[in-house]
Structures are given as C-alpha cells and as structure tokens.
Amino acid sequence: MGTEEHLMVPIKKLKAFSRKVFMHFGVNEQDAGVASDVLATADLRGIDSHGVARLITYHDMLELGRINPEPEITITRESASTATVDGDNGLGLVVGPKANAMAISKAREAGSGWVSVCNTNHFGAAGHYVLEALEHDMIGWAMTNSTKLVAPLWGAERMLGTNPIAIGFPGLEQPPIVIDMASCAAAYGKVEIAIRKQEQVPHGWIIDKDGHQTVDPQAMVDGGAILPLGSMRDQGGHKGYCLAVMVDVLSCVLSGANWGPFAPPFALRQEIPGRSVGRGIGHFFGAMRIDAFIDPDEFKRQIDEYIAVFRATKPEPGTDGPLIPGDPEREAEAERRENGVPVLLPVINDIRTVAEKTGLDPEF
Amino acid sequence: MGTEEHLMVPIKKLKAFSRKVFMHFGVNEQDAGVASDVLATADLRGIDSHGVARLITYHDMLELGRINPEPEITITRESASTATVDGDNGLGLVVGPKANAMAISKAREAGSGWVSVCNTNHFGAAGHYVLEALEHDMIGWAMTNSTKLVAPLWGAERMLGTNPIAIGFPGLEQPPIVIDMASCAAAYGKVEIAIRKQEQVPHGWIIDKDGHQTVDPQAMVDGGAILPLGSMRDQGGHKGYCLAVMVDVLSCVLSGANWGPFAPPFALRQEIPGRSVGRGIGHFFGAMRIDAFIDPDEFKRQIDEYIAVFRATKPEPGTDGPLIPGDPEREAEAERRENGVPVLLPVINDIRTVAEKTGLDPEF
C-alpha cells in the first residue's frame, strides 16, 4: 500500500456495501452474502486487486447483463469423486463457492473431490476457496483461468491468463500453509502501479508488442504481455508456461470453458475475443480428506514442525530468512481486522460511482 | 548432448543390462523389467540425468543393502479415491509404478485416484508415470521429493529437493501435452556440466554457501544451493519455493516420509541427514478419468485445437515460437528409437564398473 492516498474502511462496511450491490441486481440474499464474503477475504488478506477494487467491474457486468444474477447451476457429469459444473454464466463469486462445496462434499464421501467448472466468471482470490477446505480438515486446491495477459515462452503475444494455483495445508498449533500464486512472473496490478508512479519494472517481467523484453510498463500495456513465471528460457520461463497450460486445461478444456486466448475478459475496456471455443471461463477445485491418507493430528503436527524447521533456515544476507506461504496474508488480516482496510482513493471513487448509479449508500 | 564424447547404444541393450543388474541383486524378473522400463523412458526421451546414468547409484545402493530388492509394498490407509502406500524401502522404480497403478485403478472405480507414498527411493523421471495414465484415457499426475539441493526464497542453505511436477493430457490426432518440470530454477546436472566445461552459469540459478547470488557453478557445489523457479523475489522466486513446498507436503507429510532437508540422499557421496522425520522419501500420484468430467473425444479434440492455436502464436523475435510441453522429449524419442541413445563416456565407464562388479555383460 505504501504511501499512496487511501481511506481506512472497516471490513464490515465494505462487505455490507458489496452485498447490497449484488442484491440490487437481483442476486438473492444468500448468494450476495457469499459473494461479498469472497471479496472480503481478499480485502482482509491484502490481495487488494481481488477485493472491493473489482466491485465496479462486477457492477458494470451485471448492469450490462453480461453476468446472470440468478444462475441455475447444474452438474453436467459426475462420478464418485468428480463433477463438471455449468455455472450458467453466474457470478464467479457465487458459482465458485458452490462448486468448491461440491468438491468438499465429494471428498467427504469418496476421500477426494474434484470439480471442473465452465460458464462462469471471475471468482475472486483463489486462496479463499482453499481456506474453506481447511475448515473441513481437508487439503484444498483452487485454480482458474482469466483473460489473456501472459505470453507463452518464445511467444510475442498474450495467449494465457495469469492462471493462479492455490493449495492449503492445515497445521495444529501453527496457522495453515496457504499457497496462492499466479503462474506468471508478476501481477498486472504491479505493472499498473509502476505506470502510475512513472517507474520502470524489474527485468524479466514483461515484453513489448513485438516480443522484446522491456522494463517500460507502458510498453506492456500497449499490446505487450507479461512473461510466465521464470521469465526467459535460461531461468525457467518454460516452466511457468507449463504451469499456466496445466491450470488452463484443468479449468477449461476439462469443463468445456474458453481456454487460452479465448477467455472472455473481465473488464469493459478489454476486447472480447472474436472466437469462442466453450462457455465462459473455467475453474478447477479439489479437496482431499486428510484422514483418507493419514491420521490428521499426525499430519498437522508434522506441518507445525515443517513451519518451525523452515523458519529456522539460515537467512540470505540482508533478509530475515524465508517466510512460510501465507505469512503476508495472515499479517495483513490481523492488521486489517483491527484497523480497517486501506482502500486507495481511485477505488473509493469507483465505489462512489457505484453508489451513485445504484442509489445505494456505502455509509463511509 | 552437444559435442561431448559419447557412444550410441540401442535402447534395447541399455534396458536389458539394467534389468540384469536389478535381478542380480534379487529383484524379481517382473519388477526388474518394470524398473528398467522406467529408466529407458528417461533415456529415450532425452532426460539423460534420470536414465541409465543413474544405474551405478542404484547398483551401489542395492550392493550396500540401502535399498530393499524384495519389498513388501503395503497400503496403510485408503478410501474410494485415495491410498497411502508404504514402499518398504524398495526401489522407487518398482514402488512408483505399483503406486501409480493403484491411482489408475482407483480412478477407474471412483473417477479419480490419489496415492501418497512413503518409504521409497528415487523413482526415475516423473514424466514416465503420467504417460502410463494417458494409456488409460486419464490425466496423470506425478510428483516426488528428493535430496536437498534448493534454497527457499530468502534462505541461504539447501532445504528442499528439486521436487518435480508432471502432468499429462491426451490429444486425439496430436500427441499428448506432457509437462515434467522441476520446481527449481535449473537442474543440478546443468551446474555440473558448467563445471566440466569451465563455464559460468546464467544469473538467477544459484547461490554460494553464504547465500550470495553467484554465476560460479563450483560455489554452488561447495555448500551453496540452487534457487527456486523464479530465482529472486522480484522475478517470483517465492512462487517456485511455494511449488516445492506443495510437492513436498503432498509427497511426504501426507504419506509419512522424510520432507524438506531430511530426505535421505540418492548418492553415496551425499551426507545422510542427522535427523529423520519419517520413512524414506515420498511420491504423490494422481489419475483422473477424463470421461468422469467430459466426453473424452471432445476433450481430445480441444487438446488438438489447443496445440494448433499455441503453435500459431506470433513468435518472439529470433525464435521459432512456443513449443508444446513434451515436444523436446518426443523429438528425442523419435530420434533415439531410430539411432540409439548417445551415452556419455563417463556414464559408459560407470556401466563398465557395474559390469565388472556384477560379472554381467552389457553387450556393448
């Protein structure tokens, strides 16, 4: 967040306003509550790009009728441990939690549950879903594709989304290990921030429209692309590309959604692909019951020990040593539950726009 | 392979010799056949570090009694779609295929199958296992931990293995998409090659024993470490670290194997950790029946289209454009089935040592 101008807002107020906005467009009360919960998880955990900052886009998509506020979510195929879900073009914030709950319910019966979802939209922060699984003593997985922003290694155009992978493992006394990572070298939000601050971005993040590496963030926005995790061939850019393909196939090809460059955008200013190869975007959820593999207490004790051992790693000079995946989000959550969420002024302005258009009062 | 001195050997001869060596130590004929098949997959597909080049290590471990040639492999816990397997300290090349077959068999009944394995040893190339699943119209997954070589981000010592992730998706007319990637910035084998050629390694691969980045490969060997995929914080090194942890927990904490720095080494010259937190190393296998999600022909047609679309990506200047994951291995296989496997002279010498010690004739 740094020194950028912001307003501190209690999470309850953000959540209440999102909920009212969803209900304004005909989302039922329960679904609107769930959707605003998913956004609130991101705002609390410091994943600012996936919280209330996106509310205006959800608003615009609902207003234009591009998202169905009352989806009839159906299972199109299933087995004891798997299902394919058609989200009926509902909010990803509604379809995602329901599909994730199906994975958890399958896991309860069959040991594990795996749900691939088509005909859905942006589902918020992937980490939210694995936290749900943790509540049930399960290992949770979540993936999704998204609008094209990332070039495959040796490509000079956007072909893949930032395609995140999330997975969580519960501890006993220690908090859980929660992994939630995009499969590209850097977040698009960081490129935008660099433009706003008139700064260069680090080497290895982006290419320009001709496929040349650059440190000028505007060159990425003007038809360039983000590089996959690992950046170039020598540093393992082929591996990040592989991960993005893995997420894409599990979320989209397996469910019948639009993969790769055909993912419909989640922003009005982005162009809609001229071709469609499926329905909506796709997600992939997994849940594995820990006691289907090992005594859960034994597992959690080992996770506690794992955390202790990795915290005790000899630190790289100039650092405090390795973090445990999930540390930054947990710290943000503790701080923000106490002091509120620092919402940047441009986001506050977006919220005011939404308030004006809907006639709803954000009460902050 | 480049211009290094080598001998061309037909794959059949390599396979026959490995098989005889395993049987020499009491591995039964069928298991020895499977184990030599796994090695041959790596040799054929150009994953030279995981094929016959490792035979001398398997030999040494068997000779010293550090691997059990006649393991009684048991399921210690299971559900409809999951199992935990104790490999009884057998060859990973024997335990791995059996555990992978269990995942495939569970998937046949329950839609998906997930098997975590403890008390096992080096299982060859992860890609081998996903190719097996593809034969059954399933999506295959394979992961394993390995001896510590990799530092977590902001760490200055080896704490994790190269922890690979493999996954495969079948095509219809097109060959499958096969991903098989370590979760670190570069392979240890490439660091060794740089030493042999007296060359520097690219920036972002390694640190020295004090945790400082270096391009001197000897500094990594002398108590340094490999960096995770993504290298440093700015380029996403935390993400590679997360992936390595994910593989480690699924393969080891979930099965009761030795995780992180406690993984027993697979080489006589490497130190044995002073502490053990489980049994052997660990693997994790998954199989998902495609028809448990979607019509398999529809899936495969989309994979064909996926491959066509990604091959048509606008290329980065100076390249031929993106590859499809699995391309290099397929090309190597076609070439090597035809012309034999180029085995480096040091590996030939190792094979001669094994031949001498066992009294077996490699017949090449």
Side-chain angles (χ1 to χ4, degrees):
Chain A
M1 199 52 55
T3 56
E4 292 194 80
E5 282 192 275
H6 61 262
L7 194 69
M8 297 303 284
V9 184
I11 188 68
K12 275 181 77 168
K13 291 205 169 181
L14 291 177
K15 204 148 103 177
F17 183 63
S18 308
R19 188 166 152 276
K20 283 194 286 189
V21 171
F22 293 130
M23 288 179 70
H24 175 81
F25 289 103
V27 177
N28 71 50
E29 190 168 350
Q30 201 191 335
D31 286 354
V34 170
S36 61
D37 260 355
V38 182
L39 289 186
T41 303
D43 284 318
L44 275 175
R45 291 170 67 82
I47 311 166
D48 295 328
S49 55
H50 287 60
V52 74
R54 296 284 181 112
L55 187 62
I56 193 163
T57 307
Y58 292 107
H59 166 276
D60 292 349
M61 303 283 276
L62 285 162
E63 191 183 37
L64 287 168
R66 277 168 55 181
I67 288 181
N68 178 0
E70 297 173 287
E72 217 174 290
I73 298 167
T74 51
I75 293 179
T76 55
R77 198 178 269 235
E78 68 181 316
S79 73
S81 70
T82 70
T84 306
V85 164
D86 185 319
D88 195 22
N89 193 30
L91 281 167
L93 306 173
V94 167
V95 177
K98 287 190 180 168
N100 191 42
M102 286 178 207
I104 290 168
S105 155
K106 293 260 176 203
R108 205 172 285 123
E109 298 298 320
S112 74
W114 306 87
V115 177
S116 190
V117 187
C118 71
N119 208 1
T120 178
N121 293 283
H122 194 277
F123 78 176
H128 174 85
Y129 299 93
V130 315
L131 294 174
E132 291 282 321
L134 290 175
E135 300 287 314
H136 299 269
D137 263 6
M138 294 182 188
I139 293 167
W141 309 55
M143 307 179 189
T144 188
N145 78 325
S146 57
T147 318
K148 64 177 181 179
L149 275 174
V150 178
L153 182 74
W154 293 340
E157 59 176 320
R158 303 177 186 183
M159 295 290 283
L160 290 155
T162 55
N163 297 10
I165 301 170
I167 188 164
F169 306 106
L172 195 64
E173 313 280 334
Q174 294 281 352
I177 296 175
V178 179
I179 294 167
D180 182 0
M181 50 170 274
S183 52
C184 52
Y188 183 63
K190 291 191 180 169
V191 176
E192 289 181 312
I193 289 171
I195 291 175
R196 218 153 57 222
K197 295 191 173 170
Q198 297 186 291
E199 289 175 356
Q200 294 188 338
V201 298
H203 189 75
W205 280 20
I206 53 171
I207 52 176
D208 66 19
K209 67 179 168 35
D210 300 316
H212 295 293
Q213 277 218 47
T214 174
V215 292
D216 170 13
Q218 192 61 46
M220 183 267 143
V221 171
D222 295 343
I226 298 175
L227 285 166
L229 174 59
S231 302
M232 306 312 289
R233 177 62 180 82
D234 261 353
Q235 280 74 28
H238 53 303
K239 297 177 183 180
Y241 163 43
C242 282
L243 291 171
V245 168
M246 175 184 88
V247 171
D248 209 24
V249 174
L250 292 170
S251 302
C252 302
V253 182
L254 198 55
S255 68
N258 286 292
W259 41 260
F262 309 115
F266 182 68
L268 298 188
R269 67 180 187 283
Q270 289 166 327
E271 113 203 71
I272 296 178
R275 183 180 160 200
S276 173
V277 295
R279 279 157 295 154
I281 64 161
H283 317 312
F284 183 73
F285 299 104
M288 301 194 304
R289 237 174 53 213
I290 291 165
D291 72 357
F293 289 95
I294 194 167
D295 174 63
D297 276 353
E298 170 59 17
F299 179 89
K300 292 179 193 172
R301 261 193 302 272
Q302 290 282 338
I303 291 290
D304 283 4
E305 185 62 20
Y306 200 98
I307 291 170
V309 164
F310 276 79
R311 286 211 194 284
T313 303
K314 177 178 149 190
E316 179 193 319
T319 75
D320 293 332
L323 298 182
I324 301 302
D327 275 352
E329 293 83 2
R330 261 188 306 277
E331 275 165 35
E333 184 167 350
E335 154 83 20
R336 290 172 176 203
R337 278 201 190 278
E338 184 77 17
N339 303 320
V341 176
V343 183
L344 291 179
L345 289 197
V347 175
I348 292 288
N349 288 337
D350 284 347
I351 290 174
R352 288 198 181 121
T353 302
V354 170
E356 214 165 282
K357 284 181 151 192
T358 56
L360 299 167
D361 181 0
E363 296 175 34
F364 56 82
Chain B
M1 200 56 50
T3 55
E4 291 194 78
E5 282 193 278
H6 60 262
L7 195 69
M8 297 302 285
V9 185
I11 188 68
K12 274 182 76 169
K13 292 206 168 180
L14 291 177
K15 204 149 103 178
F17 183 63
S18 308
R19 190 167 150 276
K20 284 194 285 189
V21 170
F22 293 130
M23 287 178 70
H24 175 81
F25 288 103
V27 178
N28 71 50
E29 190 168 350
Q30 201 191 336
D31 285 355
V34 169
S36 61
D37 260 355
V38 181
L39 289 187
T41 302
D43 284 318
L44 275 175
R45 291 171 67 81
I47 310 166
D48 295 328
S49 55
H50 287 61
V52 74
R54 296 284 182 112
L55 187 62
I56 193 162
T57 307
Y58 292 107
H59 166 277
D60 292 348
M61 303 284 276
L62 284 162
E63 191 183 39
L64 286 169
R66 277 169 54 180
I67 287 181
N68 178 1
E70 297 174 288
E72 217 175 289
I73 298 167
T74 50
I75 293 179
T76 55
R77 199 180 268 235
E78 67 181 317
S79 74
S81 70
T82 69
T84 306
V85 164
D86 184 319
D88 196 21
N89 194 30
L91 280 166
L93 306 172
V94 168
V95 177
K98 287 190 178 166
N100 191 41
M102 284 178 208
I104 290 169
S105 154
K106 293 260 177 204
R108 204 172 286 125
E109 298 298 320
S112 75
W114 306 87
V115 177
S116 190
V117 187
C118 72
N119 208 2
T120 178
N121 293 284
H122 195 277
F123 77 177
H128 174 85
Y129 299 93
V130 314
L131 294 175
E132 292 282 320
L134 290 175
E135 300 287 314
H136 299 269
D137 263 6
M138 294 182 188
I139 294 167
W141 310 54
M143 307 179 189
T144 188
N145 78 323
S146 58
T147 319
K148 64 177 181 179
L149 275 174
V150 178
L153 182 74
W154 294 339
E157 59 176 319
R158 303 177 186 184
M159 294 291 283
L160 291 154
T162 56
N163 297 9
I165 301 170
I167 188 165
F169 306 106
L172 195 63
E173 312 280 334
Q174 294 282 352
I177 296 175
V178 179
I179 294 167
D180 181 1
M181 51 172 271
S183 52
C184 52
Y188 183 63
K190 290 190 181 169
V191 176
E192 288 180 313
I193 289 171
I195 291 175
R196 218 155 55 222
K197 295 191 175 173
Q198 297 185 291
E199 289 173 357
Q200 294 189 338
V201 298
H203 189 76
W205 281 19
I206 54 171
I207 51 175
D208 66 19
K209 66 178 169 36
D210 300 317
H212 296 292
Q213 276 218 46
T214 176
V215 292
D216 170 14
Q218 192 61 47
M220 183 268 144
V221 171
D222 295 343
I226 299 175
L227 285 167
L229 174 60
S231 302
M232 305 313 289
R233 178 63 181 82
D234 261 353
Q235 280 73 30
H238 53 303
K239 297 178 183 179
Y241 162 43
C242 282
L243 291 171
V245 168
M246 176 183 88
V247 171
D248 209 25
V249 174
L250 292 171
S251 303
C252 302
V253 182
L254 198 55
S255 67
N258 285 292
W259 42 260
F262 308 115
F266 182 68
L268 298 188
R269 67 181 188 284
Q270 290 166 327
E271 117 205 66
I272 297 178
R275 183 180 160 199
S276 173
V277 295
R279 281 157 293 155
I281 64 161
H283 317 312
F284 184 73
F285 299 104
M288 301 195 304
R289 237 174 53 213
I290 290 166
D291 72 356
F293 289 96
I294 195 168
D295 173 63
D297 276 352
E298 169 59 17
F299 179 89
K300 292 179 193 172
R301 260 194 303 273
Q302 290 281 340
I303 291 290
D304 284 3
E305 185 63 20
Y306 200 99
I307 290 171
V309 164
F310 276 80
R311 287 211 194 284
T313 303
K314 177 177 148 190
E316 180 194 318
T319 74
D320 294 331
L323 299 181
I324 301 302
D327 275 351
E329 293 83 3
R330 263 188 305 278
E331 277 165 33
E333 184 166 350
E335 153 84 19
R336 290 173 177 204
R337 277 201 191 279
E338 183 78 17
N339 303 320
V341 176
V343 183
L344 291 179
L345 290 197
V347 175
I348 293 288
N349 288 337
D350 284 348
I351 290 173
R352 289 199 180 120
T353 302
V354 171
E356 213 164 283
K357 284 180 150 193
T358 55
L360 299 167
D361 182 1
E363 296 174 35
F364 56 82

